[in-house]
Amino acid sequence: MMEPSRTMQPLKVLVVDDSLITVNKLKRMLTELGHRVVRTASTGMEALTAYAECHPDVVTMDITMPDMDGIEATKHILLAHPEAVIIMVTSHGQEPLVLEAMNAGCRGYVLKPFRAEKLCEVIDRVVERYLTPKAD
Amino acid sequence: MGQGRQMLAEIVDQVAKQTRDYLSAEMHISVREIGPVPAAGDRLRLHDLTAIVSLGGRLNLQVAFSFEGKLADALCAVMTADMDGAEQDWTLYRSETAAEIINTILGACATELWIPNDPPILLSPPVVLEQSSSILKTRKAIFYGSQLNTDFGTVYIYAVSPPGLFGTTEACVP
């Protein structure tokens, strides 16, 4: 049984990945961490629509997808919704791709294969930094 | 061995080792033996389930993981152990398992093979073929194969350059 996430309240999560296996895995892990997967999308194009319709707190985003890749989708989502918090979940660990994703505006990066503990750590760090209101 | 085939052999060797480590750590399946696939003959045999990815950048090749049926089933069983409904959509989940495995392993391999200051090695989305067949090797293609034997069956790893032998047209992304 996983420890619940340290974030104060359950997050609404949009999971974007063309792998049914990864979508299922993330759904299970996120639910066990106390969060709620409100939508899933299997292409970058679907992700744009899904984000606009459900306004999640956090997006997990794959890179390699048909139609539109995750880095491009990240740019488009942030253009329309600058407040979006996007975490890449991908098998791509090459430095130029990580840099490209960060420059596109993603807030965190999780490499496959991943464990729940790593996912939790990245989510907590991202939420603490980008979603938690700071005291004046 | 020609220079091109030597390069493919080195790449396949790295992929085979990553596959062995992945199968052990993530799937709890031990690889008993890794060996070359005989190069003889003008046809390449694809087994019950084959996942194919194109790698771009300086590599410019296709890699296929061709699984014997029982091994594909064993891998799917492990991958979907915590998933409801997988038994009802076994064919779909079996294909998704093969796609997930090749994507994860080749993503890690691309990270190892990438040379600093080079453009990234891009991967195409996996394409999965669900039945055994044999394909004709074209004269222009350089080919190398390795086989990993487990208690559940064998996975054959093939690399071919230039890409196109497997007839898939997925472009490398991003």
Side-chain angles (χ1 to χ4, degrees), chain A residues 19-20 22 69 91 93-94 115, chain B residues 26 96 100 103 111 121 174:
Chain A
S19 163
L20 200 54
T22 297
D69 69 80
S91 65
Q94 297 167 70
R115 298 281 183 266
Chain B
E26 303 298 321
E96 291 282 327
E100 180 74 3
N103 183 60
T111 303
I121 298 167

Side-chain angles (χ1 to χ4, degrees), chain A residues 57-77:
Chain A
D57 299 309
V58 169
V59 180
T60 68
M61 181 77 76
D62 186 20
I63 289 183
T64 302
M65 290 184 289
D67 189 350
M68 179 190 288
D69 69 80
I71 294 178
E72 209 52 39
T74 295
K75 290 177 187 171
H76 280 88
I77 289 174

Side-chain angles (χ1 to χ4, degrees), chain B residues 106-119:
Chain B
L106 292 185
C109 287
T111 303
E112 294 295 316
L113 290 166
W114 174 70
I115 295 173
N117 299 319
D118 258 18

Side-chain angles (χ1 to χ4, degrees), chain A residues 17-22 24-25 28 62-66 69 71 91-97 100 112-113 115, chain B residues 22 25-26 79-80 82-83 92-93 96-97 100 103-104 107-108 110-111 114 118 120-125 173-174:
Chain A
D17 202 301
D18 63 337
S19 163
L20 200 54
I21 301 291
T22 297
N24 270 277
K25 187 175 180 181
R28 180 176 56 81
D62 186 20
I63 289 183
T64 302
M65 290 184 289
D69 69 80
I71 294 178
S91 65
H92 285 288
Q94 297 167 70
E95 187 181 302
L97 288 174
E100 190 178 350
K112 294 180 183 179
R115 298 281 183 266
Chain B
Y22 176 91
E26 303 298 321
M79 193 72 87
T80 61
D82 295 330
M83 294 178 197
L92 171 63
Y93 277 94
E96 291 282 327
T97 295
E100 180 74 3
N103 183 60
T104 302
T111 303
W114 174 70
D118 258 18
I121 298 167
L122 305 180
L123 272 62
S124 68
V173 290

Side-chain angles (χ1 to χ4, degrees), chain A residues 30-104:
Chain A
L30 289 163
T31 302
E32 288 183 7
L33 287 170
H35 303 307
R36 192 161 60 97
V37 175
V38 293
R39 282 282 287 269
T40 65
S42 59
T43 73
M45 287 296 294
E46 280 181 23
L48 306 187
T49 308
Y51 191 97
E53 289 177 358
C54 73
H55 287 280
D57 299 309
V58 169
V59 180
T60 68
M61 181 77 76
D62 186 20
I63 289 183
T64 302
M65 290 184 289
D67 189 350
M68 179 190 288
D69 69 80
I71 294 178
E72 209 52 39
T74 295
K75 290 177 187 171
H76 280 88
I77 289 174
L78 284 167
L79 205 58
H81 309 278
E83 74 284 2
V85 174
I86 299 171
I87 296 172
M88 299 321 242
V89 179
T90 174
S91 65
H92 285 288
Q94 297 167 70
E95 187 181 302
L97 288 174
V98 175
L99 285 175
E100 190 178 350
M102 302 304 282
N103 287 337

Side-chain angles (χ1 to χ4, degrees), chain B residues 5 8-9 11-13 15-16 19 35-40 43-55 61-68 102 106 129 133-135 137 142-148 154-161 165-166:
Chain B
R5 194 155 186 269
L8 283 192
I11 291 168
V12 169
D13 184 54
V15 174
T19 303
V37 172
R43 300 192 78 87
L44 188 65
R45 186 172 169 211
L46 301 182
H47 297 266
D48 300 280
L49 192 67
T50 301
I52 300 161
V53 165
S54 297
L55 286 87
L61 51 83
Q62 273 179 320
V63 173
F65 280 34
S66 194
F67 300 90
E68 290 181 340
I102 194 174
L106 292 185
L129 307 177
S133 63
S134 67
I135 53 176
K137 298 177 196 174
I142 308 169
F143 154 87
Y144 192 84
S146 186
Q147 56 186 23
L148 283 70
T154 299
V155 54
Y156 298 82
I157 298 174
Y158 302 122
V160 61
S161 181
L165 179 68
F166 299 107

